[in-house]
Amino acid sequence: MPLLSEDLRQAIEDYTRRYATRQAALLPALHLIQERFRCVPREAIEELADLLDLHPAQVHDTLSFYGFFRDAGNPLGRFRVWVCRSLPCMLRGGEEILDDLCHYLNIQPGQTTADGAITLEFAECLGACELAPCLLVNDECHGPLTQESARQLVAQLRRAGVQHGV
Amino acid sequence: MTHASINGRMIQPKPGQTILQAAQELGITIPTLCYHPDLSPVGSCRLCLVEIEGWRQKVAACVTPIRPGMVIYTETPGLVEVRRFILSLLLRHYYDAGYGGRERPETEFEHWVRVYQVERRRDSQAQPRFAIPSDPHPLVWVDWNKCILCTRCVRACAEIQGRFVWGVADRGERAHIVAGLGSSMLEARCESCGACAAYCPTGALDDKMALGWGRPDKIVRSVCSYCGVGCGIRLQVKNNRIIRVSGDEQAPVNGLHLCVKGRYGFDYVHHPERLRRPRVRRYLLSGRSKSEATAAEREWVEVDWDTALDLAAEKLTQIWRESGSDALGVLASAKCTNEENYLMQKFARQVLGTQNVDHCARLCHSSTVAALSLAFGSGAMSNTMHDVAEHAQALFIIGSNVTEQHPVFGSMLRQAVLRRRIPLVVADPRRIDITEFATLHLQHLPGTDIALLNGLMHIILKNGWHDTRFIAERCENFEAFAASLEAYPPEKVAEITHVPVAALQRAAEILARHKPVAAIWAMGITQHTTGVMNVLALANLQMLLGNLGVPGGGVNPLRGQNNVQGACDMGALPNVFPGYQPVSDAQIVRKFDAAWALQPTLRSSDVSPTLGLAGKPGLTVTEMVHQFGTGQIRALYVLGEDLALTEPDLPHTRQSLAQGEFLILQEIFPSETSVFADILLPGVSFAEKSGTFTNTERRVQLVRAALEPMGDARPDWHIIADLARRVLARQGRYPAGPWAGWQYTSPSAIFEEMAALTPLYAGISHARLEHETLHWPVPDKNHPGTPILFVHGFPRGRGRFHVVEHLPPAEWPDAEYPLLLTTGRVLYHWHGGELTRRSMVMQLCPRPVVEIHPDDAARFGLNGTRQVRLRSRRGEMLAYVQITTRVAPGVVFGNFHFPGPNNVNNLTNAALDPVSKIPEFKVAAVRLEPVPEAC
């Protein structure tokens, strides 16, 4: 049984049509895979290489360049929470929010809660300085936040994550 | 302005030329590390930075095109400072654990560090960051502490070998080289060719066997002794020992590239089992007859050369007197040089007076030679390997596991597909490695090649895709042939071959729509009872498509042994003299009778007044072995051939050898056959002798002695000539013809004699080969050689279409023997395995393996058993199981690299092709049973 499902393969195939070569769809495909599996498993690398006429070593070369992609030993939680700590956010309390969430969730940046609901990370700049201090939940930006509103948001996410059985 | 200048010297830039290339043309050295001329430039190490007047920045010479008007400086104080800085940064992470001794050869990296007088910084790496070695590969040494991330290994694996084992992981501060997804090399599908090590500038990757040996005393250019590709090698020798084999960058075939056997399989030369002194059976010394000898009298006794050669000469002469010439047979060797093969057939024909001379080409491409002679009048690969790789517009590989059997050519073909994006159609019963690069894989049943090819040609003809002009101008017998294709509609062909109709249609279209197509084949086509007809069908296909006599097309049989082409060229065949001059032509026989004339005339025939040679072909190897058993052949003189391992139906072969009267075996190791020999003469390996090999593309290349012979062993040409002189003396005959003597002083003198009698080689000499590379035919001393055959016509005039019909193999699976067995080799072994089993390469494939499809594994209840016993009507074999979808359901695949009970030839069928007498190694019916672990 292949790991990549038919619909996922189709979604990757759709991307290949946007580019001059199949290989160019590698990054969007890796995103799709990580979105689905919360990491990029080895089997997925091998199947993706096959799909895009690449070799596993080439896929690995590209994906390991980006800290964004996780391997199967360190998968993302259901929600990836990125707290921005660049200058505008820092001046408006972003680092304190990050510290507080670490304390609240009892994890360090880069780690995932034991229930698998939330992965906490810091971001260098989310490009949403007008919302400083802000954070990103998967692809959705929230701000301006206080320590309290950030905690509330994360608490909600955690409940949702646990309910949905990560 | 049309010129540029480098360091004040003018140069006219060529289109596409880089500054580095221009500088090299002027003899100016610019230091480089990530650059290598064989690899695509990346410009990452920045060591080749140069200054250009008027440019603000320094640029990398390896990736910057040179343009008119540029004023370039390659070695200014500023550049020296930059280079020292770059080298010091590279040194910071570099850690040399100090192994290899003080005599270790300097690496490229160490060279530039020394030249630019760079010291290690105090904050440099004090501890190794990676384990030493960093990978468990048995042949390739890996030490990432020496890696400078030049990525030459990554590019070599991708751009030379086409395997993509290496990649860079975690690019950035922690960047490092990894195999696959961070596994070991072998898990990442490494083929152990060692290209990464060959291109590594720091010793992070190296040849494990060479570590600790220091610098060589001498480096000798020669030719690899494994396959017919004929790679040029450099034997690095120290104290009469080969310490490393590297690719010869000047070699026209391969450059620095080699395969695992060529690079790492040389240590057999020094194996302790090498024969060092002649041996004879004790009963020969005591004068007892073989049949009455006790076990003790059958033991070997080491003797001096005179004793051994006198005993051999005495017995040969006795049989020659008693039973005549045709009671004697000679087997030459495709592993030996042209010169030695020439002498072997001269020995048979002149000294013994028999046409009974043959060699192992009988078992590989005799059907090719016969068929191509029928179709075109010449039986060799028509185009060169580089021509095929560079100019073919499509490739058709049928019955050739090219990446394992001719690995360096296999990687050239991979690169042809990768770089030129040409379509590749592979027809093979197994999903062999090259199918990974194929546009289409036709997985036909073994033994259905004619149906497949006729089916493809049926479609081509129906669509009017054939080359009518080529057919009309250069071919004959087209109408009869075309009519015969009527009987091969796609539906029927699909039924016979198990290839779906749609795949047949698509394959036919690919082959027809691309011009030219190069057809490539090997044993999968030839080793059948229909071997000759299989090849005729391929000849038909290439005529039909007009793919002959043009670059990038042609008929391209890949020859197996390093010198099997040469052994055939030298006339080590029962039907032809050197250069394929037929023994059935009375004028030719008279020519050789005169050249080799002996006096006094003791025997004579109509066509051969002094030697008494017959004007008809002698016996083939399989026939000789059989008749040796029945007593019609009383003595065999065998050079370097392991009959008891490589013949089909080994139980019968062993029986024949056991019953035979007198067997002289000239070998470098005790072999399966030596058990049956009466006299064992120690010859030498390719590394200890000189001469020539002719590779698969008819390229004649010099082999140079790098070592002194082991012990008392002698170069084979020396032994043959010595034996000939002794036999002639006993016969009471002396040389009278111009080329009749046996007093050779060197292989080049033998070559000169051969060339004088062989029009194909007439213009070739050792002197020319020192500085030239020549493809035969070379009719005279000024001729440049003939890389592509059939350009202006076929030797027989018109190319002849032959009607060939599908015939089932001699044996087919049935209720009792339900599986179809096909045989072949694996990458890590060479033929009978006599060499590779005595080499470090053995570690990569230590056991006999049979490939079985998962369905069959379930069907026969293998349930995880590791070993199986295969039985055929002739014998049985014990092997380890490899469950894989490489084979189709109902088909099993075995190899013949392991002796005794592990040899697949215990099972194979000795049914012969009626024309070429090649046995049907590729199809036999077998059954299998699991073997309990305890056995």
Side-chain angles (χ1 to χ4, degrees):
Chain A
M1 255 315 258
L3 186 68
L4 303 185
S5 61
E6 235 2 90
D7 62 319
L8 196 51
R9 283 167 186 267
Q10 194 51 52
I12 294 168
E13 205 55 53
D14 290 343
Y15 267 112
T16 63
R17 281 191 269 280
R18 297 195 198 178
Y19 304 103
T21 65
R22 296 181 66 75
Q23 289 81 358
L26 177 56
L27 275 178
L30 287 169
H31 279 278
L32 288 174
I33 289 169
Q34 177 147 305
E35 214 168 281
R36 174 70 54 92
F37 299 103
R38 311 310 289 161
C39 65
V40 185
R42 292 174 74 96
E43 301 79 8
I45 297 177
E46 277 155 15
E47 290 177 30
L48 180 62
D50 201 32
L51 206 60
L52 297 181
D53 287 344
L54 283 164
H55 292 271
Q58 295 171 310
V59 175
H60 187 248
D61 192 328
T62 302
L63 92 87
S64 67
F65 175 71
Y66 298 97
F68 180 83
F69 295 113
R70 299 292 190 103
D71 62 35
N74 186 22
L76 287 175
R78 180 170 167 82
F79 297 104
R80 184 174 205 165
V81 176
W82 308 62
V83 182
C84 183
R85 62 171 198 181
S86 63
L87 190 64
C89 285
M90 186 199 78
L91 291 172
R92 291 178 58 93
E95 292 207 324
E96 287 76 9
I97 290 176
L98 180 61
D99 281 348
D100 184 59
L101 289 180
C102 284
H103 183 70
Y104 175 60
L105 294 170
N106 197 22
I107 53 175
Q108 290 302 305
Q111 294 180 336
T112 303
T113 53
D115 56 15
I118 289 172
T119 300
L120 187 65
E121 290 186 85
F122 59 76
E124 290 307 343
C125 182
L126 297 175
C129 305
E130 77 280 11
L131 297 178
C134 61
L135 59 75
L136 203 60
V137 177
N138 291 342
D139 291 333
E140 195 181 299
C141 193
H142 297 261
L145 297 163
T146 61
Q147 289 186 20
E148 290 70 37
S149 62
R151 271 197 186 209
Q152 271 175 19
L153 176 63
V154 167
Q156 265 175 27
L157 293 173
R158 195 164 189 181
R159 279 195 299 278
V162 174
Q163 271 165 19
H164 281 88
V166 240
Chain B
M1 196 183 299
T2 60
H3 285 72
S5 81
I6 304 179
N7 299 349
R9 294 171 61 191
M10 304 305 277
I11 185 165
Q12 188 155 14
K14 298 189 178 73
Q17 194 175 36
T18 62
I19 293 173
L20 181 65
Q21 289 163 338
Q24 284 168 341
E25 197 178 305
L26 290 172
I28 295 169
T29 303
I30 299 175
T32 54
L33 282 173
C34 71
Y35 170 84
H36 192 282
D38 296 349
L39 308 173
S40 60
V42 289
S44 68
C45 78
R46 317 308 284 171
L47 204 63
C48 71
L49 288 181
V50 295
E51 287 174 4
I52 305 175
E53 240 176 51
W55 289 39
R56 227 153 35 99
Q57 285 179 317
K58 300 171 173 63
V59 298
C62 68
V63 288
T64 309
I66 185 167
R67 296 212 182 81
M70 280 182 174
V71 178
I72 300 159
Y73 297 96
T74 69
E75 202 75 31
T76 65
L79 286 170
V80 168
E81 195 182 330
V82 169
R83 285 181 190 143
R84 296 193 59 187
F85 179 65
I86 291 167
L87 288 166
S88 75
L89 288 181
L90 293 175
L91 265 182
R92 207 176 147 238
H93 278 310
Y94 176 89
Y95 176 86
D96 180 352
Y99 53 83
R102 271 181 304 161
E103 287 295 300
R104 178 167 69 77
E106 189 178 62
T107 65
E108 266 179 77
F109 179 58
E110 289 167 328
H111 170 81
W112 292 121
V113 166
R114 179 172 54 78
V115 167
Y116 285 97
Q117 299 175 332
V118 184
E119 298 289 328
R120 268 174 79 82
R121 290 160 40 145
R122 253 178 295 159
D123 59 351
S124 294
Q125 203 67 40
Q127 295 293 323
R129 291 182 298 153
F130 302 94
I132 304 173
S134 317
D135 190 283
H137 197 289
L139 306 175
V140 181
W141 174 258
V142 185
D143 177 1
W144 291 135
N145 299 296
K146 289 182 172 177
C147 177
I148 57 167
L149 284 170
C150 69
T151 70
R152 270 159 61 162
C153 54
V154 179
R155 284 172 286 150
C157 194
E159 298 170 15
I160 306 274
Q161 182 70 357
R163 199 62 174 169
F164 301 88
V165 167
W166 296 119
V168 184
D170 304 321
R171 282 179 190 264
E173 196 190 18
R174 291 179 304 118
H176 59 121
I177 304 287
V178 289
L181 307 181
S183 62
S184 72
M185 294 171 72
L186 290 172
E187 281 163 350
R189 307 196 319 152
C190 171
E191 290 176 319
S192 313
C193 71
C196 51
Y199 286 93
C200 178
T202 67
L205 293 160
D206 206 345
D207 303 333
K208 198 169 184 174
M209 285 183 266
L211 290 183
W213 282 98
R215 290 165 214 244
D217 304 334
K218 59 176 177 180
I219 297 178
V220 180
R221 296 182 64 201
S222 195
V223 179
C224 177
S225 67
Y226 280 105
C227 81
V229 170
C231 292
I233 54 176
R234 291 184 179 216
L235 297 169
Q236 303 193 10
V237 177
K238 185 170 188 170
N239 302 335
N240 205 38
R241 192 180 172 93
I242 304 171
I243 59 170
R244 188 196 292 268
V245 173
S246 54
D248 178 359
E249 56 193 337
Q250 292 167 310
V253 173
N254 57 305
L256 283 178
H257 193 30
L258 290 172
C259 75
V260 56
K261 296 184 288 282
R263 197 182 301 280
Y264 300 124
F266 58 83
D267 44 335
Y268 74 85
V269 168
H270 301 288
H271 195 276
E273 282 171 21
R274 276 288 302 271
L275 297 172
R276 286 156 196 272
R277 293 197 72 196
R279 294 179 190 180
V280 301
R281 299 285 181 193
R282 196 176 297 281
Y283 53 72
L284 288 175
L285 295 172
S286 63
R288 295 268 286 196
S289 80
K290 188 174 182 175
S291 52
E292 292 163 4
T294 62
E297 283 169 329
R298 284 173 185 270
E299 276 171 13
W300 285 121
V301 185
E302 286 198 347
V303 294
D304 60 28
W305 276 103
D306 280 334
T307 308
L309 289 174
D310 281 339
L311 278 169
E314 197 64 52
K315 185 78 183 176
L316 288 175
T317 310
Q318 180 204 337
I319 294 172
W320 180 80
R321 282 192 205 288
E322 289 171 7
S323 305
S325 299
D326 289 336
L328 299 157
V330 169
L331 294 175
S333 171
K335 287 229 93 54
C336 291
T337 63
N338 284 325
E339 291 74 5
E340 287 154 355
N341 279 286
Y342 172 82
L343 291 189
M344 281 303 270
Q345 62 85 39
K346 180 180 174 184
F347 184 84
R349 293 181 163 122
Q350 184 212 33
V351 178
L352 304 181
T354 178
Q355 301 283 13
N356 293 342
V357 55
D358 202 6
H359 72 286
C360 69
R362 184 65 46 208
L363 310 177
C364 68
H365 269 298
S366 57
S367 43
T368 294
V369 175
L372 294 185
S373 299
L374 289 170
F376 309 126
S378 170
M381 184 168 171
S382 66
N383 292 48
T384 71
M385 290 181 283
H386 276 287
D387 173 63
V388 167
E390 297 301 325
H391 302 122
Q393 294 307 305
L395 299 167
F396 180 41
I397 303 176
I398 180 164
S400 166
N401 184 7
V402 64
T403 56
E404 295 196 64
Q405 318 311 345
H406 300 87
V408 169
F409 183 48
S411 42
M412 281 187 221
L413 295 179
R414 284 177 181 160
Q415 295 303 332
V417 173
L418 285 171
R419 279 189 290 109
R420 299 198 291 118
R421 309 226 159 255
I422 54 173
L424 162 66
V425 178
V426 177
D428 202 288
R430 292 194 304 146
R431 196 164 45 76
I432 51 175
D433 271 315
I434 193 80
T435 59
E436 184 181 317
F437 290 77
T439 320
L440 191 60
H441 174 209
L442 311 174
Q443 195 165 10
H444 62 308
L445 279 180
T448 64
D449 303 276
I450 294 173
L452 178 72
L453 292 165
N454 280 358
L456 295 175
M457 290 189 279
H458 176 101
I459 298 167
I460 290 168
L461 204 58
K462 278 282 183 279
N463 285 287
W465 291 333
H466 53 299
D467 188 334
T468 46
R469 187 164 162 200
F470 184 89
I471 295 165
E473 286 177 1
R474 297 196 46 183
C475 306
E476 65 186 32
N477 200 33
F478 175 68
E479 286 71 23
F481 156 73
S484 74
L485 293 181
E486 280 299 327
Y488 295 87
E491 297 70 27
K492 179 177 163 191
V493 168
E495 201 176 303
I496 299 173
T497 61
H498 291 193
V499 177
V501 171
L504 293 170
Q505 300 276 12
R506 181 143 176 252
E509 181 153 7
I510 292 171
L511 299 181
R513 297 281 192 201
H514 297 85
K515 199 161 180 172
V517 177
I520 296 157
W521 73 87
M523 308 299 84
I525 280 292
T526 61
Q527 289 177 336
H528 292 277
T529 43
T530 55
V532 169
M533 292 203 289
N534 287 354
V535 178
L536 284 174
L538 279 163
N540 288 342
L541 175 72
Q542 289 299 65
M543 283 189 280
L544 189 70
L545 294 170
N547 285 333
L548 291 159
V550 287
V555 284
N556 300 289
L558 301 180
R559 305 303 301 259
Q561 299 278 9
N562 56 322
N563 196 37
V564 66
Q565 182 65 53
C568 291
D569 297 346
M570 293 305 108
L573 295 169
N575 60 333
V576 288
F577 287 103
Y580 306 98
Q581 301 175 76
V583 300
S584 53
D585 182 333
Q587 240 178 323
I588 297 292
V589 183
R590 266 187 220 107
K591 164 179 154 179
F592 281 94
D593 186 275
W596 295 334
L598 295 173
Q599 287 299 334
T601 297
L602 298 178
R603 293 199 176 127
S604 133
S605 73
D606 296 345
V607 289
S608 175
T610 82
L611 305 177
L613 266 177
K616 62 178 175 47
L619 300 175
T620 63
V621 47
T622 318
E623 292 166 329
M624 274 188 250
V625 171
H626 174 72
Q627 295 198 11
F628 190 55
T630 60
Q632 287 147 289
I633 296 277
R634 292 182 56 195
L636 278 180
Y637 175 22
V638 179
L639 173 60
E641 181 141 344
D642 202 353
L643 297 161
L645 195 64
T646 54
E647 286 282 300
D649 189 1
L650 283 183
H652 175 74
T653 302
R654 289 201 194 96
Q655 193 187 9
S656 299
L657 291 173
Q659 286 168 351
E661 182 175 341
F662 188 64
L663 177 62
I664 306 169
L665 182 61
Q666 194 163 314
E667 256 297 356
I668 62 171
F669 290 115
S671 66
E672 292 291 290
T673 307
S674 64
V675 175
F676 305 103
D678 297 276
I679 293 183
L680 202 46
L681 303 173
V684 298
S685 76
F686 81 107
E688 298 143 73
K689 63 186 169 192
S690 299
T692 54
F693 291 157
T694 304
N695 78 351
T696 184
E697 54 183 0
R698 298 168 284 110
R699 189 195 292 271
V700 188
Q701 307 192 94
L702 277 184
V703 178
R704 297 176 179 87
L707 306 173
E708 292 301 316
M710 304 290 147
D712 291 346
R714 290 182 181 176
D716 295 274
W717 61 271
H718 208 276
I719 303 169
I720 306 161
D722 196 342
L723 184 61
R725 291 193 298 267
R726 290 173 201 253
V727 175
L728 285 178
R730 281 168 177 73
Q731 291 172 339
R733 299 193 291 178
Y734 60 87
W739 303 110
W742 287 87
Q743 301 288 350
Y744 301 105
T745 51
S746 68
S748 76
I750 304 169
F751 195 96
E752 191 187 329
E753 172 180 325
M754 179 276 296
L757 296 169
T758 310
L760 286 181
Y761 279 69
I764 311 178
S765 63
H766 281 211
R768 264 190 95 175
L769 293 175
E770 281 290 350
H771 53 88
E772 271 182 285
T773 173
L774 294 164
H775 301 262
W776 66 251
V778 188
D780 61 63
K781 292 197 163 30
N782 300 314
H783 193 281
T786 315
I788 299 179
L789 295 178
F790 315 143
V791 175
H792 303 296
F794 297 110
R796 75 178 293 281
R798 281 175 171 262
R800 184 169 177 83
F801 281 101
H802 287 80
V803 173
V804 291
E805 304 286 2
H806 167 69
L807 281 173
E811 189 177 63
W812 199 245
D814 53 24
E816 199 181 349
Y817 295 93
L819 289 167
L820 200 165
L821 168 77
T822 191
T823 71
R825 300 197 295 109
V826 302
L827 172 66
Y828 292 116
H829 281 290
W830 182 254
H831 280 196
E834 294 89 343
L835 308 182
T836 43
R837 277 186 278 111
R838 292 183 174 95
S839 154
M840 298 283 277
V841 175
M842 175 75 170
Q843 296 174 51
L844 292 166
C845 178
R847 300 189 309 199
V849 164
V850 172
E851 294 179 3
I852 298 169
H853 191 274
D855 293 357
D856 293 321
R859 188 171 142 208
F860 292 94
L862 299 192
N863 297 331
T865 26
R866 289 159 66 229
Q867 288 195 71
V868 282
R869 184 174 282 111
L870 269 65
R871 288 183 203 277
S872 78
R873 290 188 172 81
R874 293 154 294 278
E876 61 178 66
M877 172 203 194
L878 200 61
Y880 286 83
V881 179
Q882 188 180 8
I883 294 173
T884 169
T885 53
R886 260 161 79 96
V887 285
V891 177
V892 293
F893 172 82
N895 67 57
F896 59 99
H897 304 308
F898 294 86
N902 299 125
N903 197 308
V904 81
N905 282 328
N906 296 335
L907 310 172
T908 48
N909 193 352
L912 302 181
D913 175 281
V915 179
S916 66
K917 311 283 173 71
I918 196 167
E920 191 151 68
F921 286 105
K922 291 299 184 207
V923 184
V926 297
R927 64 169 184 250
L928 64 80
E929 61 205 43
V931 176
E933 268 333 275
C935 284

